[in-house]
Amino acid sequence: MRKSLVLLACLVAVMALTSVGFAAPERLANKQVASYNVGTEPETLDPAMSTGIPEAVVELSCFEGLTRLDDKNVPRPAIAESWTISKDGLVYTFKLRKSNWSNGTPVTANDFEWSWKRALDPKTAAEYATQLWYVKNGRAYNEGKIKDAAQVGVKAIDAYTLKVTLENPCTYFLQLCAFPTLMPVNRKVVEANPTGWFLKPETYIGNGPFKIVKWEHNSKIDLVPNLHFWNVGKVKVTNLTYYLIDDIKTVLSMFETGQLDSFEAPPAAEIARLTKEGVLDIKNYIGTYYYMFNTTKAPANDVRVRKALTMAIDRQKLIDFVVRGEQKPALAYVPFGLADATPTPDFRTVGGNLYKEDLAEAKKLLADAGYPDGKGFPTLTILFNTSDNHKKIAEAIQEMWKKNLGINVQLTNQEWKVYLDTRDTLNYQVARAGWIGDYLDPMTFMDMWTTTNGNNDTGWSNNKYDELIYGAMKEGDSAKRATMLHEAESILMAELPIMPIYFYTNVVVQKPYLKGVRFSPLGFVDFAAAYVLEHK
Amino acid sequence: MASYVLRRFISVMLVLLIVVTATFVMMHAIPGGPFTREKALPPEIMKNIEEKYKLSDPLWRQYLDYMGNLLHGDFGPSFKYAGRTVNDIIADGWPVTARLGACAILFSLFVGVPSGVISALNQNRWPDNFVMAFAVIGVSVPSFVMATLLMYVFAVKLRWLPAAMWGTPKHVILPMLALSGFPTAFFARLMRSSTLDVLSQDYIRTARAKGLSWFAVVMRHVVKNAIMPVVTYLGPMVAGILTGSFVVESIFAIPGLGRFYVTSIYNRDYTTILGMTIFYSVLLVFLNFLVDIAYGWIDPRIKLVDAKE
């Protein structure tokens, strides 16, 4: 018996060694050169002022917040070495590490205090100042109700201790600390040129893994490692280029000719080929594609009609034949990948599906609403902003509603801002929409359907829903909070002012030799830990 | 001549004033503003932004402020690209667009004009058929199709030239060819028909009768007289290429001005829309003026005078 055990052990050891021998060795390339297409010219590179993903990608390279999200999107110590949170969840005390700006001067707690108050200052007019409204008096100061910045709940206790007092407990505050709006900026350079300090590499002083050496507007941004970065030893890429190209076919050609290493959202028609070539990867993305109903006008003012329309489409078919990209059918509103009371199982898994696709039930509901087999149903118009993808989806849904419910549907497309205005003024019947989360918590999807929220372009209002959302905003107990959010989502999905269609994915095309790039489900891309393997 | 220029200048100023005012009114009439976002901004934040950019002022004041700045040559700040002025954007993008446009126009003149002449001199023979076949393709294939085709063949398949971007002479070739397809073909056809017309004139027979060689006749008399229609179209054609290079710039990821012009309208970037409109209007007027001058130079019978004179 013992002999056979020894033999078995030997066999296992030999197999293990052989398999190691067969695995292709991963060697770092001599030239650590990488490129990625961020998609468009950044509107600004001032972290306090930016709102878009392209801007955030560059800022994540050039700046470091108190925390940085790891591969699993967990906030890890960055400029903050450690922190303590008071029992009531309101006071965060951050201990900062000794680190420097890219010009060699030290980054201190005062830099954070000054930068956050600057972002909240009404004169700065930062669009994403709301990311700091969680801080005590942050909103009041931003709205001009408090003039004294000293009342804002952020204070440098000493050079390396930052005390932050929140308005209400916020379970995802450490995540927000990795968000561009909360990144520190260098007071000296900003004050010297408040509106243009970020335009020139020489004054774009950051504290992140890279620094910009050249910005050719509408073309590309070249970066090299920031030698003063506290963790520069881990930065492997020596030349990083962010292309600013918006034509996706051009981007694909550049990828195929070797001018580019990584980009996202290839044309749907190319997905199958790129998958075959082994350069395509589907990443998680926190977003929902949905249709909105104008609940103030017939016929969508009747919940039975909204339900019938929602139940009468085949989402999987739509994904497989029109959208592609392995999106998930949305049978509820909040997408997968957001924490519930505990990170696993996530909010969606706990909440499950909140309705089902059921043609018989849909027909019955439509008949109950007074439209048996669609008879007498007014012609419905789907509004979308001009785009091939939105058009194809609308055509497919038009076909499904016609075939399954017997109703006539027209399509109308409008230029982006006209479409936003039409939605805002409730001058539509059904409109396409999409929502990508701003932070990793279900609240980023839920609070927008409260009665007074500017994003609620459906005319729908529910007191109970509002109560639950405002209650959850103040709730410190994560289990109670999650229950409230689930209840709110159930109300939303019972009344269906919106019709979820699919949960987004992020389709990434990348050369196999480029590794370590972090794709956040919020759409951010982080090259801090990227490296290039040897290749032809 | 001086009086002509002065009168022309005054009329241009009037035209520009009308263009600016009409553009100002129209762009404010379109739904959506520079800060209309899918993720609606809270009203308090919108208020901060509108105050910063003076968008909360009444329209007439915004108009007067704009005109006041315009007198100093200041097109104002871009609403889309923070910290950049419209003057900066023009200064960055214009040299690129101008270089690409100049290459395309020169190419179409150097290829289109001789092709048209050769075609006419060989009417209904194979060189004529050959040139006209190409001209039909050039006129009928849109520049974005040409651009995609050229990129696929010469960059993706043959790997002779870069697929996109800007910077070296190699980067100019494909966009230049895509952009010059239509004008080259157009000039060739125009030149062919006007050459045929000139060839049937009496003075050509006279020149030949005087004993001039055929080559000399063509160079001295035929081309010089036949080129007038090309010159007439040159102004609008140059303006068309410079203002219409957006698609080609976009396909080849060229950081020119055309892209800014179109995207500024999508973005409701008011100052950029106005600045670009003024810039292109001035350009168009200037090019037309140059064409008028060129008429007189080529054909001395045409004089630049006012109706009164």
Side-chain angles (χ1 to χ4, degrees):
Chain A
M1 182 67 188
R2 201 177 285 169
K3 258 187 184 175
S4 60
L5 270 178
V6 171
L7 205 66
L8 190 70
C10 287
L11 201 67
V12 169
V14 169
M15 278 172 70
L17 282 172
T18 337
S19 66
V20 168
F22 282 131
E26 282 202 344
R27 278 205 210 118
L28 283 184
N30 288 334
K31 281 187 179 171
Q32 288 294 313
V33 180
S35 57
Y36 168 78
N37 183 46
V38 301
T40 186
E41 168 81 2
E43 294 181 16
T44 172
L45 287 181
D46 181 341
M49 302 301 288
S50 65
T51 57
I53 300 283
E55 291 80 8
V57 172
V58 183
E59 287 155 3
L60 273 175
S61 296
C62 299
F63 289 90
E64 180 100 325
L66 291 168
T67 60
R68 186 176 277 265
L69 301 185
D70 69 5
D71 297 335
K72 298 194 167 54
N73 307 303
V74 177
R76 297 287 177 204
I79 296 300
E81 211 165 24
S82 63
W83 49 80
T84 54
I85 307 171
S86 66
K87 273 190 181 165
D88 59 5
L90 288 175
V91 181
Y92 285 62
T93 310
F94 294 95
K95 207 78 202 155
L96 272 54
R97 70 178 75 246
K98 289 202 166 126
S99 65
N100 288 322
W101 293 101
S102 53
N103 62 3
T105 56
V107 176
T108 67
N110 292 303
D111 290 320
F112 280 91
E113 183 186 337
W114 184 81
S115 303
W116 288 15
K117 286 178 176 168
R118 166 182 178 259
L120 282 170
D121 188 336
K123 283 198 206 88
T124 310
E127 288 183 42
Y128 260 28
T130 42
Q131 299 287 61
L132 276 160
W133 281 11
Y134 301 90
V135 176
K136 192 169 177 58
N137 288 329
R139 179 174 188 166
Y141 178 58
N142 190 223
E143 289 180 352
K145 289 175 187 154
I146 288 178
K147 300 285 175 202
D148 181 13
Q151 290 185 47
V152 176
V154 54
K155 179 111 192 95
I157 305 296
D158 59 48
Y160 293 100
T161 311
L162 185 74
K163 187 177 156 192
V164 180
T165 310
L166 303 185
E167 196 82 59
N168 294 302
C170 176
T171 48
Y172 47 91
F173 185 67
L174 287 173
Q175 263 184 42
L176 290 176
C177 289
F179 197 84
T181 320
L182 278 72
M183 285 170 173
V185 289
N186 188 297
R187 183 173 185 171
K188 217 171 171 184
V189 294
V190 175
E191 284 182 337
N193 183 7
T195 53
W197 64 276
F198 50 85
L199 288 169
K200 287 185 185 157
E202 49 276 23
T203 54
Y204 196 53
I205 302 299
N207 65 335
F210 295 94
K211 62 175 187 178
I212 291 179
V213 284
K214 200 174 184 189
W215 179 3
E216 287 177 33
H217 293 291
N218 243 1
S219 181
K220 61 176 182 161
I221 298 176
D222 290 322
L223 303 99
V224 295
N226 164 19
L227 299 179
H228 293 286
F229 179 52
W230 70 272
N231 205 8
V232 69
K234 292 271 168 67
V235 180
K236 295 199 180 71
V237 172
T238 55
N239 294 82
L240 178 60
T241 301
Y242 288 137
Y243 286 108
L244 317 171
I245 303 168
D246 43 20
D247 190 317
I248 201 65
K249 285 180 191 146
T250 306
V251 171
L252 181 63
S253 296
M254 286 177 70
F255 180 81
E256 284 173 346
T257 54
Q259 266 184 287
L260 178 70
D261 295 327
S262 179
F263 72 98
E264 287 159 32
E270 303 286 345
I271 288 179
R273 178 178 66 83
L274 293 166
T275 309
K276 224 180 197 175
E277 288 173 9
V279 292
L280 188 133
D281 197 5
I282 308 279
K283 310 268 184 192
N284 193 17
Y285 201 34
I286 305 293
T288 307
Y289 189 97
Y290 57 92
Y291 274 7
M292 296 191 310
F293 295 116
N294 180 356
T295 63
T296 64
K297 282 182 195 162
N301 57 353
D302 186 332
V303 66
R304 291 168 298 186
V305 169
R306 301 200 295 267
K307 273 187 185 169
L309 293 170
T310 306
M311 292 168 111
I313 62 166
D314 186 337
R315 290 165 175 77
Q316 192 60 53
K317 216 178 240 176
L318 194 76
I319 291 164
D320 291 345
F321 296 104
V322 183
V323 197
R324 304 182 210 180
E326 296 178 27
Q327 291 82 358
K328 290 191 185 93
L331 295 171
Y333 171 53
V334 176
F336 289 94
L338 298 169
D340 199 70
T342 52
T344 50
D346 74 354
F347 185 86
R348 183 70 285 122
T349 310
V350 173
N353 293 341
L354 295 178
Y355 58 85
K356 55 186 177 174
E357 289 168 3
D358 185 339
L359 205 49
E361 180 66 14
K363 282 182 172 172
K364 187 176 165 295
L365 282 164
L366 201 64
D368 289 350
Y371 310 107
D373 294 324
K375 279 177 199 128
F377 197 86
T379 301
L380 207 59
T381 305
I382 298 177
L383 169 74
F384 56 93
N385 56 300
T386 312
S387 134
D388 261 4
N389 278 343
H390 300 326
K391 185 170 172 237
K392 282 178 191 158
I393 293 169
E395 282 169 351
I397 289 177
Q398 177 187 37
E399 182 68 29
M400 287 176 189
W401 281 345
K402 172 79 192 163
K403 194 177 144 212
N404 296 341
L405 298 176
I407 60 176
N408 289 320
V409 179
Q410 280 181 348
L411 308 183
T412 302
N413 66 315
Q414 286 181 347
E415 184 263 353
W416 177 238
K417 296 220 173 185
V418 177
Y419 147 88
L420 288 179
D421 189 74
T422 310
R423 256 174 54 172
D424 191 46
T425 51
L426 287 179
N427 197 13
Y428 72 94
Q429 288 180 301
V430 181
R432 109 355 91 176
W435 191 261
I436 307 296
D438 284 332
Y439 47 88
L440 292 167
D441 187 273
M443 187 60 89
T444 188
F445 286 85
M446 302 294 291
D447 64 353
M448 60 190 281
W449 301 110
T450 52
T451 303
T452 52
N453 194 293
N455 293 300
N456 182 357
D457 290 339
T458 61
W460 178 76
S461 163
N462 183 298
N463 288 340
K464 181 71 183 160
Y465 185 88
D466 292 355
E467 215 173 90
L468 285 163
I469 296 298
Y470 294 133
M473 281 177 180
K474 290 179 183 159
E475 183 56 64
D477 182 325
S478 52
K480 277 187 197 163
R481 182 175 178 275
T483 309
M484 291 162 111
L485 290 175
H486 281 300
E487 203 183 324
E489 196 194 18
S490 301
I491 294 173
L492 188 73
M493 290 295 95
E495 301 223 350
L496 291 168
I498 54 166
M499 169 184 119
I501 299 173
Y502 62 78
F503 298 132
Y504 282 99
T505 51
N506 188 10
V507 184
V508 176
V509 182
Q510 188 164 293
K511 297 282 182 192
Y513 51 75
L514 178 59
K515 302 281 184 189
V517 186
R518 287 182 194 143
F519 292 88
S520 137
L522 297 173
F524 301 156
V525 185
D526 187 355
F527 273 80
Y531 56 94
V532 182
L533 293 179
E534 222 170 41
H535 59 281
K536 277 183 203 169
Chain B
M1 177 76 177
S3 135
Y4 173 81
V5 172
L6 184 70
R7 280 171 192 277
R8 182 88 188 229
F9 179 77
I10 292 167
S11 76
V12 162
M13 285 296 143
L14 269 174
V15 167
L16 283 180
L17 185 70
I18 294 166
V19 167
V20 173
T21 311
T23 311
F24 187 91
V25 171
M26 281 192 290
M27 74 188 186
H28 279 95
I30 329 172
F35 300 100
T36 308
R37 306 265 194 217
E38 175 148 44
K39 295 192 177 180
L41 295 172
E44 305 81 12
I45 296 214
M46 194 53 124
K47 193 176 131 247
N48 293 341
I49 292 168
E50 286 183 343
E51 273 169 19
K52 183 178 172 180
Y53 286 99
K54 296 187 176 168
L55 286 169
S56 45
D57 287 351
L59 262 194
W60 61 266
R61 176 164 294 160
Q62 289 183 46
Y63 176 75
L64 288 183
D65 281 352
Y66 185 83
M67 295 310 275
N69 291 335
L70 200 57
L71 288 177
H72 301 101
D74 178 5
F75 288 141
S78 161
F79 289 172
K80 170 84 173 168
Y81 302 106
R84 299 187 71 196
T85 63
V86 179
N87 295 55
D88 289 342
I89 290 174
I90 293 174
D92 273 356
W94 171 239
V96 176
T97 297
R99 185 141 45 108
L100 176 61
C103 289
I105 278 293
L106 287 177
F107 180 87
S108 40
L109 281 175
F110 279 114
V111 175
V113 170
S115 303
V117 176
I118 292 167
S119 193
L121 295 177
N122 296 283
Q123 197 186 5
N124 296 331
R125 279 180 298 193
W126 73 264
D128 183 23
N129 298 337
F130 182 77
V131 169
M132 283 305 111
F134 266 93
V136 168
I137 295 171
V139 168
S140 49
V141 178
S143 61
F144 67 91
V145 175
M146 189 79 94
T148 314
L149 205 70
L150 288 169
M151 190 195 284
Y152 181 73
V153 175
F154 294 101
V156 178
K157 285 287 147 193
L158 298 171
R159 304 273 172 115
W160 289 352
L161 293 163
M165 303 302 286
W166 190 249
T168 68
K170 269 189 167 181
H171 287 99
V172 184
I173 299 173
L174 294 181
M176 179 195 76
L177 290 177
L179 206 53
S180 55
F182 178 81
T184 308
F186 186 77
F187 286 154
R189 286 159 64 111
L190 209 58
M191 202 58 199
R192 179 182 181 270
S193 59
S194 66
T195 305
L196 287 174
D197 188 39
V198 171
L199 286 173
S200 66
Q201 300 291 321
D202 290 343
Y203 60 84
I204 299 295
R205 263 196 300 277
T206 313
R208 286 287 280 163
K210 277 194 323 191
L212 269 181
S213 73
W214 187 225
F215 182 77
V217 171
V218 170
M219 293 313 288
R220 259 189 241 165
H221 300 288
V222 179
V223 174
K224 201 179 168 191
N225 287 299
I227 208 158
M228 282 308 282
V230 173
V231 174
T232 309
Y233 276 103
L234 203 54
M237 191 66 94
V238 170
I241 281 190
L242 293 175
T243 52
S245 55
F246 166 72
V247 179
V248 169
E249 282 181 10
S250 181
I251 291 174
F252 289 101
I254 296 167
L257 206 52
R259 290 168 76 187
F260 276 111
Y261 197 11
V262 177
T263 51
S264 69
I265 298 162
Y266 293 141
N267 296 328
R268 307 287 190 273
D269 191 346
Y270 293 150
T271 42
T272 310
I273 298 173
L274 281 173
M276 295 276 180
T277 306
I278 295 166
F279 180 76
Y280 279 123
S281 306
V282 170
L283 193 71
L284 195 66
V285 167
F286 178 71
L287 287 169
N288 280 337
F289 180 64
L290 279 189
V291 168
D292 288 350
I293 305 262
Y295 278 155
W297 177 65
I298 294 170
D299 187 347
R301 287 173 302 177
I302 300 169
K303 288 215 166 57
L304 297 178
V305 289
D306 291 320
K308 275 187 201 165
E309 294 172 39

